[in-house]
Amino acid sequence: MEQTFTSSATGPGIARGAVAALADEPLDWRFKAAPPGAWGRTTREWLATGPTLSSLGTPLLTLDGAALDHNIRTMAHWCAKAGVALAPHGKTTMAPALWQAQLDAGSHGITLANLPQVWIARAFGVQRVLLANTLLDPAGLAWLAEELAADPDFAFLSWVDSVESVRLMDEALRAAGAERPIEVMVELGGPGGRTGARGVDAAVAVAAAVLRAPTLRLAGVGGYEGALAHDASAEGLAAVRGYLRELGELHGRLAGAYPDGVRPVVSAGGSAYFDLVVEELAKLPEAFVVLRSGAYIAHDDGFYRGISPLARGGGEVPFRGALHGWARVVSRPEPQLALLDAGKRDLPFDEGLPEPQRVRGGAELTGTAARITALNDQHAFLRDAGDLAPIGAVLRLGVSHPCTAFDKWTAIPVLDDANAAEPKVTGLVRTFF
Amino acid sequence: MEQTFTSSATGPGIARGAVAALADEPLDWRFKAAPPGAWGRTTREWLATGPTLSSLGTPLLTLDGAALDHNIRTMAHWCAKAGVALAPHGKTTMAPALWQAQLDAGSHGITLANLPQVWIARAFGVQRVLLANTLLDPAGLAWLAEELAADPDFAFLSWVDSVESVRLMDEALRAAGAERPIEVMVELGGPGGRTGARGVDAAVAVAAAVLRAPTLRLAGVGGYEGALAHDASAEGLAAVRGYLRELGELHGRLAGAYPDGVRPVVSAGGSAYFDLVVEELAKLPEAFVVLRSGAYIAHDDGFYRGISPLARGGGEVPFRGALHGWARVVSRPEPQLALLDAGKRDLPFDEGLPEPQRVRGGAELTGTAARITALNDQHAFLRDAGDLAPIGAVLRLGVSHPCTAFDKWTAIPVLDDANAAEPKVTGLVRTFF
């Protein structure tokens, strides 16, 4: 029996052996986070030597293992309580070991954004993939059809938002001789938003086209509420809520239209508004509600710290920022200007600049006037730290936007506790970008 | 005899065998630019199958081989004519094969920005490295001392901009038992600039400290004029020229202070103002002038197109933009809005957004109202392309800022001619970030 995205019969979800084998990979200069002392050793062997943070160079990005565990557990618990499934967006980390941790905590599958990301998921045996995008590349669809035919346990669900996309997908899948129909959700968008059919009527027309296409199977509705607002203001929240109600309306309009045996998916939910998603969608009849939050796993000390539902909501345990940059003061050419050896190639800068938090083995910087005012390719400009950040000091930096932090590192050391005086390196997360 | 940065006796400059061996690396899903048809083959084997652009998926970044060759030749010729040496900034590409092409065209060495980049250069046997930064990490200095001791042909030159940095370097190098002194240039900065001693007097004091430090050897002066302006306005050019004159003054102040046998290096020159650098510095007596331009090799269709000296100067052959993004229209939810499947993870966005140039096998977009107005992590917003960019179409995009384009790709296909109707894939450039 071929699996569908909502099937409850599951295999292991991910190829544990392939994930575990990453720790047998030899380390060398290919990994900018791996110091020369690790070269020639596998990750497993290097970790067995008991490395600590101070044995690593700069610039550096680290993950706090305790914060990661906390965030994964907290989100899993929150979704279970809300009665919704979670298919965390894997594009945030592109790290099979972290996907495995999310699946182990009860995630239903992994969401991805494009075909190269699906290749990586399949290389690590991920069995349920939600592609939150429309796949139109004929060669890509041919690959997908072959992959689905070869593995009846592989469940794949993607999006479509126009009658023309349905036509192009169907044409390419017929040409490829696809054996299994591809499950698709109709994507609803919103004015000023990103992809997605504009308005419920347009979306219903797309669904009708899917129902006529023999190579596709209508599996639900969804979209991305995060493109409709960028803050937690009353206006932003109202725009998101209005969109979610339209999505609920679309779900209602399609009741009875699904093929036999399909329990319709209703999916929304990045890391910024998943509370509203649950408020509006969890009550829908017959819906298999899937959240796709990705950034929550690492959270941050910037954009998501400001907007996370668990920070907004009363009485919730908030997520913890798990990502930290570490950079050294290499110059202090003016009394209130210091230059650090981390830049745009090392740390995210698109949703706010890194924030100086403290000096390793030294002063607290949080709450002082010290701030980063610009990044160059390989430098950060630190202002108003005065004597708190002397030449040679290593600073811990909070970062904003996990998605553009992970993608700058092929291997990210995991610390037991980034707040410890001498954090231990307890893992090394491999990413694939 | 141990090599110094200015020594003329040279070996091959880079380990050709190690660079060539990159083509024997098996391709798979680790490389987002490698289509499934290439998996299991080495780069060499895959190229032998005669792949063309249309066999590659999206999102994609490509290099135009003819433009690369043109840019490398043009810059080499320009420097030879100006009588200055070029140590191109290798951080732009982090691609040993492109470093080799630059060295083969006569470059004197490779400039780098931090220690992890030096590790990679040394893994590929680069013999002359200019670190345009101050290295203060004691473990890093110990590694460097060992590397220098082990290879008398390795010439390494770095920067220092304060008496305190000199003290820290000397302390760490003594503790490491360094055998060869490390050559350092005194870095001069400017008001509002980045690193570098502020003012000639401060720089002279740093030089005096270097002369007293037994583990260091004074080798010249330098800095980065590109941090002092960001356009080619009269004001911007005047700020750069004023800085270069100070650098010349510093060179003069240190005449006679260098150790016996040292021909002092004077180094400046990114890819934006190297004409002024030559005008002001090439005439200095006794100076071994080193330009460090990096971005020129790929040039761009954005920031550098606007500021390049060869575009400004009369009668020069300009560089050509060698980098192109390729992205597919995956949605057209509104008549004048299309969404492409390339985003902040795929293309640079920090010095201007990509520009739509044409539809593969279709309409020209340059000169139309079509433009990209925003990037999300994995999407681009294309406005006002109307029917020129139908759903499923693949667009060629010009990009701005090579340094933040290369670092998003571990392997970049080289096309024979990005303007051809069906470009052939003639190479695959591996990068190491």
Side-chain angles (χ1 to χ4, degrees):
Chain A
M1 176 61 191
E2 286 161 358
Q3 295 293 310
T4 65
F5 191 77
T6 60
S7 306
S8 57
T10 74
I14 192 164
R16 288 166 188 285
V19 176
L22 292 173
D24 298 322
E25 196 176 21
L27 297 173
D28 64 14
W29 45 267
R30 283 175 186 83
F31 305 100
K32 62 181 175 176
W39 299 358
R41 294 187 157 106
T42 67
T43 294
R44 201 184 305 280
E45 289 164 352
W46 176 52
L47 293 175
T49 68
T52 56
L53 175 65
S54 63
S55 71
L56 305 179
T58 53
L60 183 67
L61 183 76
T62 62
L63 280 161
D64 180 306
L68 273 178
D69 289 347
H70 166 82
N71 295 343
I72 292 171
R73 264 200 324 270
T74 300
M75 189 67 181
H77 178 74
W78 195 93
C79 289
K81 214 171 99 184
V84 297
L86 175 65
H89 212 316
K91 64 133 184 179
T92 298
T93 68
M94 290 308 293
L98 298 181
W99 297 344
Q100 179 175 307
Q102 291 172 305
L103 291 168
D104 284 351
S107 290
H108 182 75
I110 298 293
T111 297
L112 295 164
N114 61 29
L115 188 66
Q117 295 177 358
V118 176
W119 294 339
I120 292 163
R122 291 301 293 165
F124 288 91
V126 175
Q127 288 193 308
R128 278 203 204 103
V129 169
L130 194 167
L131 180 68
N133 213 333
T134 301
L135 179 59
L136 296 177
D137 176 14
L141 286 163
W143 176 85
L144 180 65
E146 216 173 297
E147 189 78 4
L148 282 163
D151 181 1
D153 286 335
F154 175 31
F156 178 87
L157 174 60
S158 72
W159 290 6
V160 70
D161 74 351
S162 72
V163 172
E164 174 64 4
S165 306
V166 170
R167 189 188 70 76
L168 290 169
M169 285 185 78
D170 185 50
E171 185 178 270
L173 288 167
R174 283 171 194 249
E179 293 171 20
R180 284 171 67 182
I182 297 206
E183 293 190 276
V184 290
M185 300 157 64
V186 174
E187 183 191 2
L188 181 72
R194 200 164 68 189
T195 49
R198 298 299 195 248
V200 172
D201 288 344
V204 168
V206 177
V210 171
L211 289 166
R212 289 190 301 268
T215 59
L216 302 179
R217 183 150 87 154
L218 186 66
V221 299
Y224 179 49
E225 79 295 342
L228 299 167
H230 206 67
D231 57 41
S233 66
E235 268 173 336
L237 298 179
V240 169
R241 203 180 283 277
Y243 167 76
L244 293 167
R245 287 183 179 163
E246 273 205 9
L247 193 58
E249 187 192 331
L250 174 60
H251 171 72
R253 286 275 294 278
L254 295 179
Y258 290 93
D260 281 352
V262 168
R263 182 176 172 199
V265 169
V266 181
S267 177
S271 288
Y273 307 105
F274 57 78
D275 52 342
L276 303 189
V277 172
V278 163
E279 277 178 46
E280 295 296 332
L281 303 184
K283 63 192 174 196
L284 296 176
E286 305 295 328
F288 186 89
V289 176
V290 180
L291 298 191
R292 303 188 311 275
S293 320
Y296 82 88
I297 188 172
H299 198 58
D300 71 12
D301 291 319
F303 175 70
Y304 284 104
R305 179 175 63 191
I307 202 167
S308 167
L310 302 197
R312 283 203 306 278
E316 301 282 358
V317 183
F319 295 126
R320 289 168 48 191
L323 285 165
H324 296 103
W326 302 85
R328 198 176 308 261
V329 178
V330 290
S331 175
R332 216 179 119 199
E334 300 173 12
Q336 296 305 336
L337 171 65
L339 282 303
L340 312 181
D341 65 354
K344 291 194 273 191
R345 250 91 176 278
D346 309 300
L347 299 175
F349 56 93
D350 59 315
E351 294 279 4
L353 295 176
E355 62 168 34
Q357 295 183 328
R358 57 186 181 78
V359 177
R360 196 173 79 195
E364 279 295 324
L365 294 173
T366 301
T368 72
R371 67 201 183 284
I372 287 173
T373 57
L375 294 189
N376 284 178
D377 285 352
Q378 314 279 172
H379 291 86
F381 288 69
L382 174 71
R383 304 229 177 232
D384 295 331
D387 293 334
L388 295 176
I391 292 175
V394 174
L395 271 57
R396 190 180 94 178
L397 308 173
V399 302
S400 182
H401 199 190
C403 299
T404 48
F406 279 94
D407 71 355
K408 294 174 173 58
W409 295 83
T410 48
I412 307 176
V414 180
L415 307 178
D416 59 343
D417 175 4
N419 290 315
E422 179 57 307
K424 291 184 182 64
V425 181
T426 57
L428 186 70
V429 167
R430 281 284 279 125
T431 67
F432 295 94
F433 286 96
Chain B
M1 176 61 193
E2 287 159 358
Q3 295 293 310
T4 65
F5 190 77
T6 58
S7 304
S8 57
T10 75
I14 192 164
R16 288 165 186 283
V19 175
L22 291 173
D24 299 322
E25 196 176 21
L27 297 174
D28 63 15
W29 44 268
R30 282 174 185 85
F31 304 100
K32 63 181 175 176
W39 300 357
R41 294 186 158 107
T42 67
T43 293
R44 200 184 307 278
E45 290 163 353
W46 176 53
L47 293 175
T49 68
T52 56
L53 176 65
S54 64
S55 71
L56 305 179
T58 52
L60 183 66
L61 183 76
T62 62
L63 280 161
D64 180 305
L68 272 179
D69 289 347
H70 166 82
N71 294 343
I72 291 171
R73 265 200 322 270
T74 300
M75 188 67 180
H77 178 74
W78 195 92
C79 289
K81 215 171 97 183
V84 298
L86 175 64
H89 211 316
K91 64 134 184 178
T92 297
T93 68
M94 290 308 293
L98 297 182
W99 298 344
Q100 180 174 308
Q102 291 171 305
L103 291 167
D104 284 351
S107 289
H108 182 75
I110 298 293
T111 296
L112 295 164
N114 60 31
L115 188 65
Q117 296 178 356
V118 176
W119 294 340
I120 292 162
R122 291 302 292 165
F124 288 91
V126 175
Q127 287 193 309
R128 278 203 204 103
V129 170
L130 194 167
L131 180 69
N133 212 332
T134 301
L135 179 58
L136 296 177
D137 176 14
L141 286 163
W143 176 85
L144 180 66
E146 215 172 297
E147 189 78 4
L148 282 163
D151 181 1
D153 286 335
F154 175 31
F156 178 87
L157 173 59
S158 73
W159 290 6
V160 69
D161 74 351
S162 72
V163 172
E164 174 65 3
S165 306
V166 170
R167 190 187 69 75
L168 290 169
M169 286 185 78
D170 185 51
E171 186 177 89
L173 288 167
R174 282 172 194 247
E179 292 170 20
R180 283 172 68 184
I182 297 205
E183 292 190 278
V184 291
M185 299 158 64
V186 175
E187 183 191 2
L188 182 70
R194 200 163 68 188
T195 50
R198 297 299 195 250
V200 172
D201 288 344
V204 168
V206 176
V210 172
L211 289 166
R212 287 189 303 267
T215 59
L216 302 179
R217 183 151 85 155
L218 187 65
V221 300
Y224 178 49
E225 80 295 342
L228 299 167
H230 207 65
D231 58 41
S233 66
E235 265 174 337
L237 298 179
V240 169
R241 203 179 282 278
Y243 167 75
L244 293 166
R245 288 183 179 164
E246 273 204 9
L247 193 57
E249 186 192 331
L250 174 60
H251 171 72
R253 286 274 295 275
L254 294 178
Y258 290 93
D260 280 352
V262 169
R263 181 174 173 201
V265 169
V266 180
S267 178
S271 288
Y273 307 105
F274 56 78
D275 53 341
L276 303 190
V277 171
V278 163
E279 277 178 45
E280 294 296 332
L281 303 184
K283 63 191 174 195
L284 296 176
E286 305 295 327
F288 185 90
V289 176
V290 180
L291 297 190
R292 303 187 312 275
S293 320
Y296 81 88
I297 187 172
H299 199 58
D300 70 14
D301 291 320
F303 175 69
Y304 284 105
R305 179 175 62 191
I307 203 166
S308 166
L310 301 198
R312 282 203 308 275
E316 301 284 357
V317 182
F319 296 126
R320 290 168 48 192
L323 285 165
H324 296 103
W326 302 85
R328 198 176 307 261
V329 179
V330 290
S331 174
R332 215 180 119 198
E334 300 173 13
Q336 297 303 338
L337 171 64
L339 282 302
L340 312 180
D341 66 353
K344 291 194 273 192
R345 250 84 178 284
D346 309 301
L347 299 175
F349 56 94
D350 59 315
E351 294 279 4
L353 294 176
E355 62 169 34
Q357 295 183 330
R358 57 186 182 79
V359 176
R360 197 173 78 195
E364 278 296 322
L365 295 173
T366 301
T368 72
R371 68 202 183 284
I372 287 173
T373 56
L375 294 188
N376 284 178
D377 286 353
Q378 314 279 172
H379 292 85
F381 288 68
L382 174 71
R383 306 235 175 226
D384 296 331
D387 294 333
L388 295 176
I391 292 177
V394 173
L395 271 57
R396 190 180 94 178
L397 308 173
V399 301
S400 181
H401 199 189
C403 299
T404 48
F406 280 94
D407 70 354
K408 294 174 172 57
W409 295 83
T410 48
I412 306 175
V414 180
L415 306 179
D416 60 341
D417 175 3
N419 291 316
E422 179 56 308
K424 293 186 181 62
V425 181
T426 57
L428 186 70
V429 167
R430 281 283 279 124
T431 67
F432 296 94
F433 285 97

